[in-house]
């Protein structure tokens, strides 16, 4: 019990707010995500929520590895729109 209590004492107060945001992913059988919160270049909180593999009931942890697949497409699109907003490119012909 000492280790669990120590970990809870060391957690920043914002962790409850973060956990509340991801509460839906903590439901049994839910797909999820892994996250890390950094402050001043140091990770202050990391946690896995939900399942990495629903069929095999494998939980996500902060150390889970994910295949990127097509995930980068949304970041590319967002980057293009940000560059357009800054006047550095145009999406028009």
């Amino acid at each position: 019990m000492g280790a669990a209590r120590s970990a809870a004492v060391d957690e920043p107060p914002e962790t409850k707010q973060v956990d509340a945001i991801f509460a839906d992913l903590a439901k049994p059988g839910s797909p999820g995500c892994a996250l890390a919160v950094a402050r001043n270049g140091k990770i202050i909180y990391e946690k896995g929520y939900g399942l990495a593999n629903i069929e095999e009931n494998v939980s996500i942890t902060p150390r889970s590895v994910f295949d990127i697949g097509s995930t980068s497409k949304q970041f590319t699109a967002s980057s293009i729109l940000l560059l357009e907003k800054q006047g550095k490119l145009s999406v028009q012909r």
Side-chain angles (χ1 to χ4, degrees):
M1 178 166 164
R5 181 180 170 95
S6 174
V9 171
D10 293 340
E11 288 181 358
E14 297 89 353
T15 59
K16 288 182 183 173
Q17 293 171 320
V18 173
D19 288 344
I21 291 168
F22 291 95
D24 285 348
L25 301 178
K27 294 178 182 174
S30 173
C33 70
L35 72 85
V37 178
R39 185 176 288 148
N40 298 323
K42 294 185 180 184
I43 294 175
I44 60 169
Y45 185 62
E46 58 184 3
K47 188 169 181 178
Y49 299 90
L51 299 174
N53 184 318
I54 296 170
E55 291 81 21
E56 297 180 24
N57 201 39
V58 177
S59 295
I60 294 176
T61 72
R63 305 289 179 250
S64 294
V65 175
F66 299 93
D67 292 328
I68 192 161
S70 295
T71 306
S72 62
K73 291 176 186 175
Q74 61 194 354
F75 296 103
T76 302
S78 295
S79 298
I80 289 168
L81 293 175
L82 286 171
L83 289 169
E84 180 183 43
K85 186 175 181 178
Q86 294 171 4
K88 296 180 179 179
L89 64 80
S90 172
V91 295
Q92 303 299 320
R93 288 186 147 207

